[in-house]
């Protein structure tokens, strides 16, 4: 993203602040200000900037070019407050230039932000539906097939479905709300992972006779479903902690599905139930590790 106006600016650039935007604002107009943020080299710094500007009024719309360390801010007559917030972060934010834009172009910037929220909502609805369906399928067949691995994976799917419901609530809310949603989903993962590990222990004590063909076939279907989830999330995984948590969940699920397929193969090969029990434990531990990563997410 270059330091030039992107075609939306008028021919009225604001001089490097002999006259501030708040002094020069016309009715219905707004501004686009560009800052270089020298220490912004990953999405974590982007989220920190979003958080710092979250409660500013009038509201702002943001665009980021992380490789070139640029932040473009669409705003009203509150430049001084924006600049103060950015400088207080200690990320090396320096002001480049401001151009005045008309009200239509300012509205377009906010409309783009709204469109991004709508795209996230559609993705999360698909993820919620896929995981809810696979939870029902894996739980039913897991009990029928006496597979601790499938049951553990179904509980993981249930946790993910609940997580995506929480994330749907977070879309369009503040960065703080998105972070709280991610942390809530992380604790939910902890509870479900402990439940899966308890089920493995129960089957160790009372015995089981897993059906390998069902384990492999259902595990393969679940693998395809979770790869589809990863494809859906890929474009938006850096848009907030709630979407990053969604990416972590689906990546963990792919690992779990591969484990179920491998366990089914080993059960068929050896005639032993222990590969199924082992993969149930591994899935529980993978989910716990994913929860740990999510609970470490910061703004």
């Amino acid at each position: 993203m270059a330091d030039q106006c992107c075609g939306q600016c008028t021919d009225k650039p604001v001089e490097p602040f002999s006259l501030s935007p708040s002094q020069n604002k016309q009715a219905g107009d707004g501004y686009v200000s560009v800052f270089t943020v020298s220490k912004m080299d990953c999405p974590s710094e982007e989220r920190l900037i979003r958080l710092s500007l979250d409660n500013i009024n009038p509201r702002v719309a943001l665009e980021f070019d992380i490789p070139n360390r640029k932040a473009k801010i669409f705003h009203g007559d509150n430049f001084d407050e924006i600049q103060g917030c950015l400088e207080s972060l200690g990320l090396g934010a320096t002001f480049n230039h401001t151009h005045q834009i008309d009200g239509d172009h300012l509205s377009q910037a906010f409309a783009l932000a709204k469109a991004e929220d709508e795209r996230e909502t559609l993705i999360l609805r698909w993820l919620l539906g896929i995981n809810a369906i696979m939870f029902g399928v894996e739980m039913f067949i897991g009990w029928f097939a006496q597979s601790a691995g499938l049951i553990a994976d179904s509980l993981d799917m249930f946790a993910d479905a609940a997580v995506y419901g929480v994330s749907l609530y977070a879309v369009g809310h503040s960065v703080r709300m998105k972070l709280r949603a991610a942390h809530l989903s992380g604790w939910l993962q902890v509870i479900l992972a402990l439940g899966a590990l308890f089920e493995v222990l129960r089957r160790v004590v009372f015995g089981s006779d897993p059906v390998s063909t069902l384990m492999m076939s259902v595990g393969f279907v679940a693998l395809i479903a979770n790869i589809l989830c990863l494809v859906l999330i890929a474009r938006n995984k850096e848009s907030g902690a709630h979407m990053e948590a969604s990416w972590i969940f689906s990546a963990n699920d792919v690992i779990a599905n591969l484990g179920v397929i491998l366990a089914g193969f080993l059960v068929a090969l050896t005639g032993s139930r222990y590969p199924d029990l082992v993969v149930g434990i591994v899935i529980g531990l993978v989910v716990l590790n994913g929860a740990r990563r999510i609970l470490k997410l910061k703004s």
Side-chain angles (χ1 to χ4, degrees):
M1 190 181 298
D3 288 352
Q4 298 158 345
C5 181
C6 58
Q8 296 181 347
C9 307
T10 70
D11 293 327
K12 298 181 286 186
V14 178
E15 296 299 327
F17 276 59
S18 57
L19 185 63
S20 71
S22 59
Q23 293 171 315
N24 193 40
K25 189 174 187 296
Q26 297 181 4
D29 287 350
Y31 295 90
V32 53
S33 296
V34 178
F35 288 81
T36 296
V37 187
S38 61
K39 298 180 182 179
M40 183 177 68
D41 53 12
C42 71
S44 295
E45 285 79 33
E46 175 187 331
R47 288 198 294 271
L48 188 60
I49 292 171
R50 289 186 183 277
L51 183 62
S52 72
L53 301 178
D54 188 48
N55 293 320
I56 283 184
N57 284 303
R59 304 285 292 173
V60 300
L62 304 172
E63 290 182 10
F64 290 90
D65 179 7
I66 293 177
N68 292 312
R69 292 176 169 79
K70 303 292 184 186
K72 182 183 287 187
I73 303 171
F74 298 85
H75 60 93
D77 59 356
N78 51 350
F79 174 85
D80 292 339
E81 185 178 5
I82 293 168
Q83 186 177 37
C85 287
L86 291 177
E87 291 177 350
S88 69
L89 293 175
L91 296 177
T94 56
F95 170 66
N96 288 353
H97 63 260
T98 291
H99 283 85
Q100 190 172 2
I101 58 176
D102 61 34
D104 289 340
H105 290 137
L106 186 63
S107 297
Q108 287 175 14
F110 282 95
L112 287 173
K114 182 179 179 181
E116 184 68 18
D117 286 343
E118 291 173 350
R119 185 161 48 248
E120 280 188 21
T121 297
L122 179 60
I123 290 171
L124 288 168
R125 283 175 177 166
W126 273 101
L127 296 174
L128 174 60
I130 290 170
N131 281 270
I133 291 171
M134 289 308 303
F135 158 69
V137 170
E138 285 196 292
M139 176 60 76
F140 176 77
I141 296 180
W143 277 107
F144 181 79
Q146 299 185 45
S147 170
L150 281 178
I151 290 173
D153 201 38
S154 75
L155 292 174
D156 185 29
M157 289 286 194
F158 175 80
D160 290 355
V163 163
Y164 297 135
V166 172
S167 296
L168 273 170
Y169 173 74
V171 172
H173 287 75
S174 69
V175 177
R176 289 185 179 89
M177 180 60 71
K178 292 179 179 181
L179 187 62
R180 282 197 285 268
H183 285 173
L184 176 60
S185 65
W187 284 114
L188 183 61
Q189 287 282 65
V190 170
I191 294 170
L192 269 296
L194 292 176
L197 292 172
F198 176 79
E199 174 60 20
V200 172
L201 178 62
R202 191 185 72 82
R203 289 185 178 273
V204 168
V205 174
F206 294 100
S208 63
D209 186 18
V211 180
S212 60
T213 53
L214 286 176
M215 289 177 63
M216 288 186 287
S217 58
V218 176
F220 181 75
V221 172
L223 175 64
I224 297 301
N226 281 307
I227 289 174
L228 176 59
C229 289
L230 282 176
V231 171
L232 288 171
I233 299 169
R235 184 178 175 184
N236 288 71
K237 70 174 182 175
E238 304 293 0
S239 64
H242 64 310
M243 293 301 288
E244 188 172 346
S246 299
W247 173 268
I248 292 171
F249 291 158
S250 291
N252 285 343
D253 289 347
V254 168
I255 296 171
N257 300 148
L258 292 172
V260 170
I261 295 170
L262 177 61
F265 174 76
L266 292 176
V267 168
L269 185 66
T270 65
S272 170
R273 65 183 178 136
Y274 289 107
D276 176 57
L277 298 174
V278 169
V279 81
I281 294 172
V282 171
I283 290 173
L285 295 177
V286 167
V287 174
L288 279 176
N289 185 58
R292 178 190 64 79
R293 289 171 61 193
I294 290 158
L295 293 172
K296 287 178 64 178
L297 289 175
K298 298 181 180 180
S299 56

